[in-house]
Amino acid sequence: MAALGVEVNVRNDDGETNTAVKVPERVLLRDQARLEEAERRRNVKESQTVTEEKSDFFTSTFNAEKTAVEELLSSCNDNDPDKAAKTLEEATLKIQQLLKFLNDSMMFLTQYEIRQAQASLQNLQSSLAEKRDEVLPKKKFAFRSRNTGASKQPAPIQQTTDKFASDAAGTVVVDAAVFVDQCGFSNADNQVLIKQAEEIQQRDVLLSHLTNCKVRLYGCPSTLHIKNVRGCEILCGPVSSSVFVDQCTDSTLVFPCQQLRTHNTTATQIYLHVTSRAIIEDCHGVRFAPFTWTYPGIHDHFKVAGLDPNRNNWTEVDDFNWLAAGTPSPNWTVIPETERICSWDIVEQAS
């Protein structure tokens, strides 16, 4: 059987055409494959070069902006409270811009670079909180009502819009970490806690030490911190930057945000809209579903928060305790559609 091939005309040095030479097809295919492989490697190298250039640009820009925030904080003092408040506001805005810059750059950064940047942002936010504690006056209330002989039975669910909540014995307290530009609820049991949009106004919101409470935040915070909560249902409007969850148990959390960081949380459902990624660490039994809450004005609040309502990466969850590539983490799951909550209780203000 004749070998398959392709006839190729060959010219001599005088320009005359000699008899066609039959080149075996396997040789041509091998040569074509070699050329294609060379082209592929060239494209990979060019792509890698572009990625490295983008990574270098991110690192230099991020570090320059981080240094600018650090200099702002170091220059802030309590000699002029008004000036200090403006400086802290500027630092807060720069940190939010850095977070957005990181989220927009994640596609070409390595996991190591992402974690380093996230750690730097966490340090900046901690420094910002410490500086607020140092230069701005704190609001702290602690007093006891005259009705000390009240029944010790669990108090019925009540609604409050104050920065503090009463316990069963009548003591009204505010978490010591509540600053002038921070709002929220702390130390409350069996209550309905509500804040309207005008009370939030892009401020940092702290929810801490809550048990069996229903919380409704009808607005867009700058940052949301949820700490030490048990058996709670927390619904919040669009959060401009990050939501930080720590020590949360048997609760349901519902919010849109740019980034979610969850630590030490168990048996909790999260109805999430996130434009970057969600991160969990030291968590067990966490279940995710897409954000389903709505209220009048929420579309405007998405715009104020700078979140894209059409971009939701709620299934993209990184578990820092699970590094097995290609194997799903056992610490989180998706809530089946048949079990998801699509409509939420309307909480009315107590008369």
Side-chain angles (χ1 to χ4, degrees):
M1 179 182 292
L4 294 176
V6 177
E7 290 187 353
V8 179
N9 292 327
V10 180
R11 293 179 179 272
N12 59 22
D13 294 338
D14 297 329
E16 298 177 354
T17 303
N18 292 337
T19 306
V21 177
K22 182 172 288 188
V23 179
E25 187 174 4
R26 67 177 184 277
V27 175
L28 292 175
L29 292 175
R30 186 173 59 198
D31 189 54
Q32 182 179 357
R34 181 183 61 79
L35 293 174
E36 290 176 352
E37 177 64 17
E39 179 70 12
R40 186 190 68 80
R41 291 181 179 180
R42 185 179 66 80
N43 290 337
V44 169
K45 184 176 181 180
E46 289 180 353
S47 176
Q48 183 176 3
T49 300
V50 171
T51 299
E52 289 174 352
E53 289 176 352
K54 288 183 177 179
S55 177
D56 291 342
F57 172 76
F58 170 82
T59 301
S60 60
T61 304
F62 185 91
N63 288 337
E65 291 300 314
K66 180 170 74 75
T67 301
V69 174
E70 292 170 341
E71 291 175 352
L72 268 178
L73 295 177
S74 64
S75 67
C76 187
N77 56 63
D78 57 359
N79 294 335
D80 186 344
D82 291 338
K83 182 179 179 181
K86 291 180 180 180
T87 301
L88 292 177
E89 183 179 352
E90 182 181 355
T92 300
L93 179 60
K94 284 184 174 293
I95 292 175
Q96 291 177 3
Q97 292 171 340
L98 266 181
L99 178 59
K100 186 176 187 305
F101 181 45
L102 170 59
N103 291 333
D104 292 342
S105 306
M106 280 186 173
M107 65 183 69
F108 56 79
L109 297 178
T110 65
Q111 284 296 318
Y112 174 78
E113 290 171 327
I114 292 173
R115 291 189 185 186
Q116 289 290 102
Q118 288 171 338
S120 296
L121 283 170
Q122 186 70 33
N123 290 336
L124 285 178
Q125 289 172 331
S126 297
S127 299
L128 178 64
E130 292 173 0
K131 183 60 71 171
R132 282 176 179 153
D133 190 13
E134 176 185 337
V135 303
L136 293 182
K138 299 187 250 334
K139 288 186 177 181
K140 181 176 181 181
F141 303 89
F143 55 87
R144 185 175 299 275
S145 67
R146 294 176 180 270
N147 187 17
T148 57
S151 171
K152 294 184 178 180
Q153 295 297 323
I157 289 182
Q158 299 174 349
Q159 186 271 345
T160 177
T161 57
D162 293 332
K163 283 187 180 179
F164 48 86
S166 302
D167 62 14
T171 302
V172 182
V173 293
V174 172
D175 190 281
V178 175
F179 301 103
V180 172
D181 57 348
Q182 186 180 63
C183 63
F185 300 102
S186 298
N187 303 299
D189 298 340
N190 300 295
Q191 295 194 30
V192 173
L193 309 169
I194 297 177
K195 281 198 177 293
Q196 303 296 336
E198 59 272 14
E199 299 177 270
I200 298 173
Q201 293 181 339
Q202 286 283 290
R203 300 165 71 187
D204 291 346
V205 175
L206 171 65
L207 306 175
S208 67
H209 298 91
L210 305 178
T211 303
N212 299 325
C213 291
K214 285 190 175 184
V215 182
R216 298 292 188 271
L217 304 175
Y218 296 96
C220 44
S222 171
T223 305
L224 175 62
H225 298 263
I226 302 174
K227 298 182 178 180
N228 297 293
V229 301
R230 178 183 293 273
C232 292
E233 181 184 272
I234 299 173
L235 280 63
C236 179
V239 181
S240 297
S241 56
S242 295
V243 175
F244 299 95
V245 180
D246 192 20
Q247 300 289 348
C248 179
T249 304
D250 296 322
S251 296
T252 299
L253 312 178
V254 186
F255 45 70
C257 62
Q258 195 173 81
Q259 185 182 51
L260 170 65
R261 296 291 298 268
T262 306
H263 300 271
N264 306 303
T265 293
T266 58
T268 292
Q269 300 182 98
I270 302 178
Y271 287 77
L272 178 66
H273 183 108
V274 61
T275 56
S276 61
R277 298 180 75 89
I279 296 171
I280 65 173
E281 190 170 17
D282 300 324
C283 296
H284 304 283
V286 180
R287 305 203 300 164
F288 287 90
F291 178 76
T292 55
W293 188 41
T294 187
Y295 59 85
I298 191 171
H299 297 296
D300 292 334
H301 293 163
F302 263 96
K303 294 178 182 178
V304 172
L307 301 181
D308 183 353
N310 298 316
R311 179 185 177 187
N312 188 2
N313 301 323
W314 66 275
T315 57
E316 297 183 16
V317 181
D318 291 329
D319 184 354
F320 281 4
N321 296 112
W322 188 256
L323 304 178
T327 305
S329 165
N331 299 318
W332 72 275
T333 57
V334 171
I335 302 174
E337 290 188 19
T338 55
E339 299 179 19
R340 296 176 189 173
I341 302 174
C342 297
S343 61
W344 301 88
D345 295 339
I346 298 177
V347 177
E348 300 290 346
Q349 184 172 349
S351 59

